[in-house]
Amino acid sequence: MGRRGTGVAFIAISAFLISTKYISAAIFGSGVLSWDEQLFNGMLEYVGNLLSNFSLWTLIIGIGYIIWGEYDEFNTKKKNIDE
């Protein structure tokens, strides 16, 4: 797998982690009879910020890998044109 593929994989992991946070909060509050925004925000606080932090880091790493892969391909094409 190249750098771009690795970047896409990291971005997919990021999406999975952020969705896991919201699904966890929904499961935590599944026994509640009435829902509102304030209650759901309280459930999100209970789940914590760890998944959000990991999601942000994997997103940044994924974007970095994609940029790195594009930069390498640009340099390779530039060298081929110069030769």
Side-chain angles (χ1 to χ4, degrees):
M1 181 182 326
R3 288 187 181 97
R4 286 183 282 183
T6 304
V8 170
F10 271 107
I11 291 173
I13 291 169
S14 175
F16 175 75
L17 289 174
I18 199 69
S19 65
T20 301
K21 177 181 179 178
Y22 287 97
I23 290 171
S24 297
I27 291 172
F28 173 67
S30 63
V32 176
L33 297 177
S34 65
W35 283 77
D36 64 354
E37 183 179 347
Q38 184 179 8
L39 180 64
F40 190 70
N41 286 335
M43 288 181 237
L44 283 174
E45 282 184 30
Y46 183 78
V47 171
N49 290 329
L50 185 65
L51 289 172
S52 295
N53 293 340
F54 282 151
S55 177
L56 180 64
W57 281 108
T58 55
L59 178 67
I60 291 169
I61 291 169
I63 291 171
Y65 263 102
I66 289 174
I67 291 171
W68 188 12
E70 292 295 324
Y71 179 75
D72 280 350
E73 184 177 340
F74 176 76
N75 280 342
T76 303
K77 285 183 179 180
K78 186 177 178 182
K79 286 179 185 177
N80 289 340
I81 292 173
D82 290 340
E83 292 176 356

